[in-house]
Amino acid sequence: MAQGEFALVEERLEASLALSGQPVKRGTMAHEHIVYMMLVEAACMAENLEAIEKYNPYLESLARRDDHEPYLAASRRAEGLACRLRGDWERAASALNEAGAYFSDQNMHWQFGRTLCELAKLEKAQDSIDTAIEYFHRAMESFEKVGARPDYGQAKAAMEGLIGAV
């Protein structure tokens, strides 16, 4: 995701936080934790450290308040990505492994695959290419289980790019 696209997403989602809640004419209004989840996910896609650091504490706080374990695991993944971007490899690995354990235990294959991709990027950043390749391979297996073709293709392309570098 380009930074310009993230800025547009951020603008629209932040504006929604100021809107009053229920009732609405049709459907339902997104709850605050959903909006923060979308802001964090968009920031992660853009690898925008500043935005992750801005929004992830809100997501984590709301997830803890509501005892929402999937959002808490997603928040841990975001923290892992932020740590990787800061070069804090040990904290990144801890947060990503914590998120991955939850997603794996819950058979949340797509989320687990996304977390494995983040672990692969962490390994690549540390020049552990063989381990990064293995993580991408495992991510592909997770994506395949749920038919997540675009994510499968991205993981495959990233893995093949690393194979060429070995």
Side-chain angles (χ1 to χ4, degrees):
M1 174 183 288
Q3 292 301 326
E5 292 172 320
F6 173 75
L8 181 59
V9 168
E10 181 180 34
E11 178 184 315
R12 299 273 169 85
L13 289 174
E14 276 198 352
S16 74
L17 288 170
L19 298 174
S20 62
Q22 302 291 351
V24 294
K25 289 183 182 180
R26 288 191 242 344
T28 184
M29 188 108 179
H31 295 284
E32 188 178 33
H33 61 283
I34 295 170
V35 174
Y36 280 112
M37 177 66 177
M38 292 188 309
L39 283 163
V40 168
E41 288 292 300
C44 287
M45 288 175 60
E47 293 198 356
N48 184 322
L49 178 59
E50 182 180 329
I52 295 168
E53 290 174 335
K54 179 179 179 181
Y55 298 116
N56 198 43
Y58 292 107
L59 175 61
E60 181 181 5
S61 174
L62 292 167
R64 287 189 191 286
R65 180 195 75 190
D66 298 340
D67 197 27
H68 198 293
E69 291 184 15
Y71 281 8
L72 188 55
S75 174
R76 297 300 301 144
R77 180 176 56 224
E79 178 63 23
L81 191 156
C83 288
R84 173 178 60 86
L85 294 174
R86 282 190 229 105
D88 188 347
W89 312 135
E90 190 174 315
R91 284 185 61 208
S94 176
L96 291 169
N97 283 314
E98 185 180 331
Y102 175 79
F103 292 134
S104 177
D105 290 348
Q106 298 301 310
N107 293 314
M108 298 175 76
H109 301 293
W110 182 67
Q111 293 287 3
F112 184 52
R114 292 182 59 217
T115 306
L116 290 168
C117 285
E118 289 304 326
L119 283 162
K121 291 175 187 178
L122 174 62
E123 293 297 329
K124 179 183 174 193
Q126 298 175 85
D127 295 322
S128 298
I129 303 304
D130 290 337
T131 306
I133 290 169
E134 178 58 31
Y135 276 126
F136 278 128
H137 180 74
R138 289 178 57 204
M140 289 167 51
E141 290 173 347
S142 277
F143 294 142
E144 192 169 44
K145 287 179 182 178
V146 292
R149 288 185 192 102
D151 296 289
Y152 178 93
Q154 290 172 355
K156 183 178 180 183
M159 185 180 76
E160 288 173 348
L162 291 176
I163 290 170
V166 176

